[in-house]
Amino acid sequence: KGEGRSRYRIFTPEMDETVNFRKTIEDDLREALATGKGLEVAYQPQIALGGGDIVGVEALARWRHPERGCIQPSQFIPVAEQTGLINQLGDWVLREACGVSRRWPDLFVSVNLSPVQFRSKGFAERVIGIVGDCGGDPRKIELEVTESVLLDEEGGTVDALRMLRGAGFRIALDDFGTGYSSLGYLHRFDVDKIKIDRSFTQSLGQGSKAAAVIKAIVSLGHAMDLTVTAEGVETEIQKKFLHTAGCNEMQGYLFSRALSADQVTSLLGRRSSM
Ligand code: C2E
Ligand code: CA
Ligand code: CA
Ligand code: CA
């Protein structure tokens, strides 16, 4: 009887809520993708730590739900991944990013790619096709992948990455230092950039060993000729440390949150007339 009860306990009201939430998100996201309503892409500037120039922007999906208001990517991306909608969403973000990138000839635009997208057949060809159709330049597009993508030896992921890099795209390793990272893959794949996860940046100065980890990542990156970007920079103190440690670029609320494309354009205009 005790057994039975604990087995039934999984159907709690909360659980039901979660399942319902997922289902609603799935249905509503499918609809948003079909109608193009409520979905937007925001662009967060990436700054050179040397001269302070804006060198690029990261495209981040935004969803204004008709009833629920803004839904965070941390809520809808996992649902999109579980349902396969990430393929459509990813294509859409890439198309948007590619379209606006032509307005900013001096910047690169980074686009996040989910490991799930790499599992769909002909993925690299599709990315190349989308960028070609938009009249975009692959050399201006940076593709952000997580380390788990490189560890997935099956399913042609690695071939897809090679093909994309061969077509001129830059590849950045996102959230570097988290997850099931193993440095073993780094010498086997050509990437252009590593992005130090914001958990390290934000642990700086809190008596943790984050400073040592960041310095080690920077020297590893530079030894391999990679650009090193720090994420989640919120304070001048963090920025100063990262600059001294030799990080090339930073991204974070200290400089700017993610902006609309028009806001990016006017920010660039203001800075160039300064
Ligand atoms: P990410 O790729 O690591 O993106 C950086 C996240 O950190 C963004 O959250 C950004 O708004 C946030 N961020 C930037 N600067 C700061 C800072 O100084 N402090 C703090 N606390 N946070 C900062 P966002 O937009 O909520 O996105 C969360 C995650 O969702 C992204 O993490 C990425 O993994 C995923 N994501 C967003 N858009 C897409 C997309 O189009 N496709 C895919 N596959 N994933 C996406
Ligand atoms: Ca990213
Ligand atoms: Ca990241
Ligand atoms: Ca992340």
Side-chain angles (χ1 to χ4, degrees), residues 236-263:
E236 281 294 341
I237 294 170
Q238 291 164 352
K239 175 182 169 183
K240 201 150 177 249
F241 173 86
L242 293 161
H243 187 36
T244 309
C247 255
N248 306 94
E249 297 167 0
M250 66 157 197
Q251 186 178 343
Y253 297 162
L254 176 66
F255 183 79
S256 176
R257 289 179 181 258
L259 306 170
S260 70
D262 287 343
Q263 287 173 317

Side-chain angles (χ1 to χ4, degrees), residues 44 58 61-62 73 93 112 174-175 198 202 232 234 252-253:
Q44 187 178 32
E58 177 174 2
R62 294 288 176 263
V93 171
N112 292 284
D174 202 1
D175 305 343
R198 72 161 179 264
Q202 299 189 341
E234 293 182 357
Y253 297 162

Side-chain angles (χ1 to χ4, degrees), residues 33-270:
L33 283 164
T35 60
K37 282 196 193 117
L39 286 170
E40 268 159 42
V41 182
Y43 301 89
Q44 187 178 32
Q46 297 179 294
I47 314 305
L49 269 163
D53 286 341
I54 301 175
V55 289
V57 290
E58 177 174 2
L60 295 161
R62 294 288 176 263
W63 185 16
R64 205 163 315 159
H65 189 279
E67 290 118 42
R68 292 171 189 260
C70 290
I71 302 183
Q72 295 303 309
S74 58
Q75 294 194 284
F76 68 82
I77 297 286
V79 177
E81 290 180 326
Q82 283 155 17
T83 55
L85 286 172
I86 193 71
N87 290 304
Q88 253 175 286
L89 178 64
D91 287 358
W92 177 79
V93 171
L94 181 62
R95 234 179 277 120
E96 287 284 313
C98 210
V100 294
S101 83
R102 298 166 63 195
R103 289 163 58 177
W104 311 316
D106 298 331
L107 307 189
F108 61 83
V109 178
S110 315
V111 175
N112 292 284
L113 299 180
S114 156
V116 175
Q117 290 173 270
F118 279 90
R119 276 177 230 143
S120 81
K121 226 174 150 254
F123 175 60
E125 289 88 341
R126 202 166 76 242
V127 169
I128 293 166
I130 289 173
V131 174
D133 289 346
C134 304
D137 179 355
R139 287 166 305 177
K140 297 281 173 201
I141 310 279
E142 186 167 86
L143 303 174
E144 297 196 4
V145 301
T146 50
E147 295 164 272
S148 63
V149 165
L150 298 187
L151 295 174
D152 185 3
E153 303 261 358
E154 295 143 54
T157 296
V158 168
D159 292 337
L161 266 181
R162 289 214 173 97
M163 179 184 271
L164 289 167
R165 198 160 183 275
F169 293 95
R170 293 206 274 181
I171 310 292
L173 277 182
D174 202 1
D175 305 343
F176 192 80
T178 63
Y180 309 93
S181 63
S182 133
L183 296 176
Y185 59 77
L186 260 187
H187 67 94
R188 285 183 282 135
F189 306 103
D190 283 331
V191 300
D192 302 278
K193 178 186 279 192
I194 45 192
K195 296 188 80 174
I196 301 175
D197 191 70
R198 72 161 179 264
S199 58
F200 297 108
T201 308
Q202 299 189 341
S203 303
L204 280 172
Q206 294 179 1
S208 71
K209 300 199 168 64
V213 174
I214 289 175
K215 284 185 195 158
I217 295 177
V218 173
S219 59
L220 174 73
H222 288 174
M224 302 185 80
D225 249 343
L226 308 177
T227 302
V228 181
T229 300
E231 299 187 300
V233 182
E234 293 182 357
T235 68
E236 281 294 341
I237 294 170
Q238 291 164 352
K239 175 182 169 183
K240 201 150 177 249
F241 173 86
L242 293 161
H243 187 36
T244 309
C247 255
N248 306 94
E249 297 167 0
M250 66 157 197
Q251 186 178 343
Y253 297 162
L254 176 66
F255 183 79
S256 176
R257 289 179 181 258
L259 306 170
S260 70
D262 287 343
Q263 287 173 317
V264 171
T265 300
S266 65
L267 180 64
L268 290 171
R270 252 180 287 145

Side-chain angles (χ1 to χ4, degrees), residues 19-35 63 65-66 79-80 83 85:
V19 173
N20 282 338
F21 177 73
R22 289 242 158 115
K23 185 71 187 126
T24 318
I25 293 290
E26 179 186 348
D27 293 344
D28 295 353
L29 185 58
R30 184 168 281 121
E31 164 132 3
L33 283 164
T35 60
W63 185 16
H65 189 279
V79 177
T83 55
L85 286 172

